[in-house]
């Protein structure tokens, strides 16, 4: 079973403390041993210094050596063994058994320092030097017992082996407590987050300290909840608006059918009722098509077929298709800009953009007014401007004209067959093509809509054939 974060933190902290304590204990052990050996070596060096500094050793060598052997044993607790240059034993500390005496060190060095265990007196620190007295060469060996050193080291080892595990247990307990305290805010965040449901998205997590890591995490979660709240609100509003838009034609259909079934009607009256029903069915069909288009784009399942095209020819074709409508309304429809505006895009979707924009412009421009379409280029973009002299849009409505189901004049839009989805679809298509759309308007003067579309769309194929389908991410 995988450990919890609290368990892992406790384990990691305990492991870190174990490593630190082990390194510290090893360092203390080595340093104490080094210090004790240095102290012993200094004692041996002092002994050699006393012998070397005695002037009598040159004239009365044997008597002087015996004197210092006794002095070493009595005052410094040192043993002494002296060998002649040929390796024969010359003198040693009285009472020291001859059979356990250390052998003279081998080699041509002038000084040796080493440890040697002796069978009856224990481990000894041995320091040996070649020395010349009275014209003769000797190997003088001083031996210091290591019992005190071994005792000190044993005591330290016992302390470390006893206190170390106790310290580790204490550190593990402290680590668990620290981990529990450190993760307590996470538990509070979890409990608070569990309490936030789809019906309670107005609630937010409490941010105790916004500057630490958990505070920033809580702020990030709050921001995410805010986005979810806006999304849910948008979905609820979208659903309510769609239901409202569908309810009106359904009510009309039901009324017309009930009237037709409730009494006898003439052929002319039947034709009138059927015409009214057909009109409402057309409105419902348009609305459901637009809803389906937006839903597919939101779900990312609609594909665009991208191919090279001439934007000028496409826009000119739309203008000519809309000209009869302009003539019926008594509105002058003009197009400015000549030449070729090459780009890559989905021709059908791009045509839908300009049909919607021209339809809106003609719809809200009174007889005698003018709708002008201008084409041009700006940097790496083709620019299409649709300008009208219509009623315009009040400034307070401009920020929301691309919202779904939003109408500036709700009564008039519905009576003219508008659903409030046209500009949302236009914006989605423009964004899918990597472009941008802007609307500026002066109430009572007119409206200017500017569409910017890139000349080259990422993912196009150079052979001019239909490119790989472009997935829509939604507007």
């Amino acid at each position: 079973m995988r450990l919890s974060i609290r368990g892992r933190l406790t384990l990691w902290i305990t492991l870190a403390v174990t490593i630190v304590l082990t390194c510290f204990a090893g360092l203390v052990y080595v340093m104490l041993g080094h210090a004790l050996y240095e102290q012993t070596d200094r004692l041996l060096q002092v002994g050699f210094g006393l012998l070397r500094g005695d002037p009598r050793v040159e004239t009365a060598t044997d008597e002087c050596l015996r004197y210092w052997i006794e002095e070493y044993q009595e005052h410094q607790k040192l043993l002494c063994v002296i060998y002649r240059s040929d390796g024969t034993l010359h003198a040693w500390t009285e009472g020291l058994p001859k059979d356990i005496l250390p052998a003279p060190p081998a080699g041509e060095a002038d000084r040796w320092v080493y440890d040697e265990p002796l069978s009856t007196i224990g481990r000894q620190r041995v320091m040996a030097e070649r020395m010349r007295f009275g014209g003769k060469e000797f190997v003088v060996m001083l031996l210091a017992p290591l019992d005190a050193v071994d005792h000190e080291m044993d005591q330290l080892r016992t302390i470390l082996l006893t206190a170390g595990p106790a310290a580790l247990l204490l550190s593990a307990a402290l680590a668990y407590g620290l981990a529990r305290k450190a993760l307590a805010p996470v538990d509070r965040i979890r409990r608070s987050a569990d309490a936030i449901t789809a019906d309670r998205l107005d609630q937010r997590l409490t941010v105790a300290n916004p500057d630490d890591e958990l505070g920033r995490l809580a702020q990030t979660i709050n921001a995410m909840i805010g986005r979810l709240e806006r999304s849910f609100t948008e979905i609820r509003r979208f659903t309510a608006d769609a239901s409202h838009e569908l309810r009106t034609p359904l009510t009309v259909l039901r009324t017309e059918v009930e009237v037709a079934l409730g009494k006898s009607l003439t052929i002319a009256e039947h034709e009138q009722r059927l015409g009214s029903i057909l009109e409402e069915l057309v409105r419902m069909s348009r609305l459901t098509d637009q809803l389906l288009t937006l839903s597919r784009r939101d779900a990312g399942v609609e594909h665009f077929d991208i191919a090279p095209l001439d934007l000028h020819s496409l826009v000119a074709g739309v203008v000519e298709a809309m000209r009869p409508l302009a003539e019926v309304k008594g509105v002058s429809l003009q197009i400015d800009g000549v030449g070729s505006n090459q780009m890559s895009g989905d021709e059908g979707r791009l045509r839908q953009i300009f049909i919607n924009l021209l339809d809106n412009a003609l719809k809200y421009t009174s007889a005698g007014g003018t709708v002008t379409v201008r084409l041009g280029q700006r940097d790496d973009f083709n620019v299409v401007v649709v300008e009208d002299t219509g009623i315009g849009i009040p400034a307070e409505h401009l920020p929301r004209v691309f919202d779904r189901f939003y109408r500036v004049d709700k009564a008039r839009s519905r009576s003219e067959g508008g659903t409030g989805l046209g500009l949302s679809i236009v914006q989605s298509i423009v964004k899918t093509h990597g472009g941008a759309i802007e609307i500026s308007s002066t109430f009572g003067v007119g409206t200017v809509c500017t569409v910017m579309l890139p000349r080259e769309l990422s993912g196009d194929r150079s052979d001019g054939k239909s490119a790989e389908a472009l997935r829509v991410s939604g507007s």
Side-chain angles (χ1 to χ4, degrees), residues 158-353:
T158 301
I159 292 172
L160 293 177
L161 292 176
T162 303
L168 288 178
L169 289 175
L170 179 61
S171 67
L174 291 175
Y176 182 82
L178 289 173
R180 183 174 181 178
K181 184 174 180 62
L183 293 175
V186 177
D187 286 336
R188 289 196 294 271
I189 290 175
R190 178 186 58 80
R191 289 193 295 270
S192 299
D194 284 342
I196 298 175
T197 63
D199 297 326
R200 304 174 65 183
L201 288 173
D202 58 325
Q203 296 189 5
R204 296 292 183 272
L205 304 179
T206 301
V207 182
N209 185 357
D211 296 324
D212 64 12
E213 289 80 358
L214 292 178
R216 290 194 290 272
L217 173 62
Q219 288 176 320
T220 300
I221 294 175
N222 282 339
M224 180 187 68
I225 295 172
R227 292 192 295 271
L228 287 175
E229 182 182 19
R230 290 191 294 273
S231 297
F232 271 71
T233 302
E234 193 71 21
I235 290 172
R236 292 190 183 101
R237 186 174 64 83
F238 181 82
T239 304
D241 289 343
S243 301
H244 178 74
E245 293 295 331
L246 289 170
R247 184 176 62 184
T248 300
L250 285 173
T251 301
V252 174
L253 287 174
R254 179 178 178 178
T255 302
E256 296 290 347
V257 171
E258 287 177 346
V259 170
L261 293 175
K263 61 179 181 178
S264 298
L265 300 175
T266 64
I267 294 177
E269 290 175 330
H270 274 298
E271 289 178 349
Q272 180 184 359
R273 300 296 178 191
L274 290 175
S276 178
I277 291 173
L278 180 60
E279 182 180 346
E280 296 303 325
L281 288 174
V282 169
R283 179 179 298 178
M284 287 181 61
S285 177
R286 178 188 301 177
L287 177 60
T288 53
D289 285 345
Q290 291 177 331
L291 288 174
L292 181 61
T293 298
L294 290 174
S295 298
R296 284 177 174 175
R297 292 176 188 174
D298 288 342
V301 297
E302 186 176 15
H303 293 77
F304 279 22
D305 290 328
I306 306 301
L309 56 89
D310 184 354
L311 184 62
H312 185 278
S313 298
L314 185 149
V315 174
V318 173
V319 169
E320 292 305 316
M322 301 294 289
R323 195 174 296 283
L325 178 61
E327 292 174 352
V328 169
K329 292 202 64 177
V331 176
S332 172
L333 179 58
Q334 304 173 359
I335 180 170
D336 294 337
V338 295
S340 175
N341 296 80
Q342 296 297 321
M343 63 169 293
S344 296
D346 186 310
E347 184 174 352
R349 299 301 194 279
L350 292 175
R351 188 182 303 277
Q352 187 178 2
I353 291 175

